[in-house]
Amino acid sequence: MSTSTVSATSAAPKKGGGRRKLTLPWILLIIAAGLALVSVVRLISGANDLTSVGQFSGALQLAVPIALAGLGGLWAERSGVVNIGLEGMMILGTWFGAWAGYQWGPWTGVVLGIIGGALGGLLHAIITVTFNVNHIVSGVAINILAVGFTQYLSNFTFDKTPGGSSKQSPRIEPITEITVPGLSDWLATLQGKHWFLISDAAGALGGLVTNLSLLTVVAVLLVPATWWVLWRTAFGLRLRSCGENPVAAESLGVNVYKYKYIAVIVSGAMAGLGGAFLAIVSTGIYQEGQTGGRGYIGLAAMIFGNWMPGGMALGSGLFGFTYSLRLRGGAENVHAMLLLIAILLVLAVAWQLYKKKYLQAGIAAVCSAGLFVWYALTDQVPSQFVDAAPYVTTLLVLALSAQRLRMPKADGMPYRKGQGK
């Protein structure tokens, strides 16, 4: 079966529908514009840690598990299977990664974490693809089972080892970190000058070459690798055709069940790798509840990215940056973000006026004015708002982007072999 033949099964977006695909030049332009805007906010607010090397290094580390969960969701949903169970698969990845990591080393933990997540994906595939159970019900069940299963295992494994307990594992040996000598120090010095845009760019680049775990490098490379496999190979084209029109794909000889199984197992493996990253790299220890909803936020990043790897990576970076703000400088940095959001809403007002959507423009103008007043009359924000900032960001991003999204046409729809006959 030729690649061109299968492509006919994948319905193209209608004119005017959906968003344009984010090519590399557009992604770089968005990053540059965002960096310039953050630089303006930093100068006005005086929150110099907003674009420091430590801020970007922390943001990258926090974004990686979210991005891996997002990649997992992308693989599954491109094949037509909704994977709400990513959170549970991440939990399995954290437990198995830590269990193997403290005994046989961190890289063994990474492999076992991937396998643990893949087993969760296999279970989800059996339930949804073979038995045609509702995808949401299956995902929620896996999330609940993963919590109970790991709690049960911890009671007779970690609880009986030195340094462990029923809620956490012993300390895991760290994975090698990379710091580019000379370049890292130079960028840190340049960032410390606090020059407009130049210092901010130095902070961003410094975060990419300072204390960078080898597993972070692997995780980042998985984003372009996923794009290449799904959009530049015949295998990827067949897999995506299963998410667009499985009946037509079957009529052209595609084994739809096989591709759905592969996609959902890979989805679980990606989420498991994200969980192993949390346990081995982020904290160096397994702790009960440490995923903290990152599987769900990964799904939000995938939706924000319009089911594309590049957009998903941008969304993950945004959420990771927000998490890092909460951990570094807390209230001061989040207070500065009020100004950033207010400026973004001003730009939204201009855009809505250009499109002659006066009601939306009015609502955005009122929200922007409120944020400007809040920023001007206060020096800090309540600690509760600081803690909630990542989740508020998730809701805002989804609310602002939801109207221009295009999910795979057969995503979440039941499919039986031979149903088109």
Side-chain angles (χ1 to χ4, degrees), residues 112-196:
L112 264 292
I114 292 172
I115 292 173
L119 290 174
L122 176 62
L123 178 61
H124 188 51
I126 292 171
I127 295 171
T128 57
V129 178
T130 301
F131 293 102
N132 227 6
V133 174
N134 181 277
H135 299 188
I136 306 298
V137 172
S138 173
V140 171
I142 287 173
N143 291 338
I144 296 170
L145 284 171
V147 172
F149 183 58
T150 53
Q151 287 176 345
Y152 171 73
L153 291 176
S154 295
N155 284 331
F156 64 87
T157 52
F158 299 148
D159 192 36
K160 301 183 183 303
T161 56
S165 72
S166 61
K167 295 186 181 296
Q168 70 176 46
S169 72
R171 180 65 56 179
I172 305 165
E173 180 185 344
I175 289 177
T176 303
E177 292 185 342
I178 304 170
T179 296
V180 180
L183 179 61
S184 176
D185 295 334
W186 178 69
L187 289 171
T189 302
L190 191 58
Q191 184 267 319
K193 301 290 185 183
H194 305 311
W195 294 334
F196 172 71

Side-chain angles (χ1 to χ4, degrees), residues 42-236:
R42 177 184 61 79
L43 289 174
I44 296 173
S45 65
N48 291 321
D49 191 55
L50 204 59
T51 56
S52 67
V53 172
Q55 168 67 27
F56 280 107
S57 179
L60 177 62
Q61 189 175 101
L62 291 164
V64 165
I66 295 172
L68 289 170
L71 280 179
L74 191 149
W75 272 86
E77 299 209 10
R78 278 294 177 180
S79 73
V81 178
V82 175
N83 192 356
I84 297 293
L86 288 169
E87 178 75 5
M89 295 168 199
M90 285 192 79
I91 292 171
L92 292 173
T94 59
W95 193 92
F96 281 102
W99 175 71
Y102 85 88
Q103 297 182 90
W104 303 301
W107 288 108
T108 305
V110 169
V111 173
L112 264 292
I114 292 172
I115 292 173
L119 290 174
L122 176 62
L123 178 61
H124 188 51
I126 292 171
I127 295 171
T128 57
V129 178
T130 301
F131 293 102
N132 227 6
V133 174
N134 181 277
H135 299 188
I136 306 298
V137 172
S138 173
V140 171
I142 287 173
N143 291 338
I144 296 170
L145 284 171
V147 172
F149 183 58
T150 53
Q151 287 176 345
Y152 171 73
L153 291 176
S154 295
N155 284 331
F156 64 87
T157 52
F158 299 148
D159 192 36
K160 301 183 183 303
T161 56
S165 72
S166 61
K167 295 186 181 296
Q168 70 176 46
S169 72
R171 180 65 56 179
I172 305 165
E173 180 185 344
I175 289 177
T176 303
E177 292 185 342
I178 304 170
T179 296
V180 180
L183 179 61
S184 176
D185 295 334
W186 178 69
L187 289 171
T189 302
L190 191 58
Q191 184 267 319
K193 301 290 185 183
H194 305 311
W195 294 334
F196 172 71
L197 194 56
I198 296 175
S199 292
D200 304 289
L205 292 173
L208 300 177
V209 296
T210 304
N211 299 328
L212 190 66
S213 169
L214 288 176
L215 189 56
T216 302
V217 177
V218 172
V220 170
L221 291 177
L222 284 174
V223 176
T226 291
W227 172 82
W228 184 80
V229 170
L230 293 184
W231 274 269
R232 287 294 181 270
T233 66
F235 167 83

Side-chain angles (χ1 to χ4, degrees), residues 160-325:
K160 301 183 183 303
T161 56
S165 72
S166 61
K167 295 186 181 296
Q168 70 176 46
S169 72
R171 180 65 56 179
I172 305 165
E173 180 185 344
I175 289 177
T176 303
E177 292 185 342
I178 304 170
T179 296
V180 180
L183 179 61
S184 176
D185 295 334
W186 178 69
L187 289 171
T189 302
L190 191 58
Q191 184 267 319
K193 301 290 185 183
H194 305 311
W195 294 334
F196 172 71
L197 194 56
I198 296 175
S199 292
D200 304 289
L205 292 173
L208 300 177
V209 296
T210 304
N211 299 328
L212 190 66
S213 169
L214 288 176
L215 189 56
T216 302
V217 177
V218 172
V220 170
L221 291 177
L222 284 174
V223 176
T226 291
W227 172 82
W228 184 80
V229 170
L230 293 184
W231 274 269
R232 287 294 181 270
T233 66
F235 167 83
L237 192 56
R238 294 187 181 99
L239 187 147
R240 288 186 292 116
S241 72
C242 296
E244 295 290 344
N245 194 332
V247 174
E250 182 191 346
S251 70
L252 294 172
V254 175
N255 187 334
V256 176
Y257 278 8
K258 182 183 81 171
Y259 280 92
K260 284 180 180 287
Y261 261 85
I262 292 172
V264 180
I265 292 171
V266 171
S267 173
M270 292 282 189
L273 177 58
F277 185 95
L278 277 174
I280 297 170
V281 177
S282 296
T283 60
I285 195 170
Y286 164 82
Q287 292 177 311
E288 188 177 302
Q290 72 185 131
T291 55
R294 286 175 176 83
Y296 300 113
I297 296 177
L299 274 179
M302 178 204 67
I303 295 169
F304 167 78
N306 207 16
W307 288 265
M308 295 292 292
M312 184 280 306
L314 280 179
S316 301
L318 173 63
F319 297 133
F321 188 80
T322 310
Y323 265 110
S324 186
L325 285 177

Side-chain angles (χ1 to χ4, degrees), residues 33-47:
L35 190 61
L37 187 57
V38 172
S39 182
V40 170
V41 171
R42 177 184 61 79
L43 289 174
I44 296 173
S45 65

Side-chain angles (χ1 to χ4, degrees), residues 45 47-50 52 55 62 321-338 374-375 379-390:
S45 65
N48 291 321
D49 191 55
L50 204 59
S52 67
Q55 168 67 27
L62 291 164
F321 188 80
T322 310
Y323 265 110
S324 186
L325 285 177
R326 185 185 70 170
L327 298 177
R328 293 178 55 88
E332 180 186 353
N333 285 339
V334 175
H335 183 253
M337 291 300 289
L338 293 178
W374 187 3
Y375 175 80
D379 294 324
Q380 289 188 350
V381 294
S383 60
Q384 294 87 346
F385 186 81
V386 175
D387 293 336

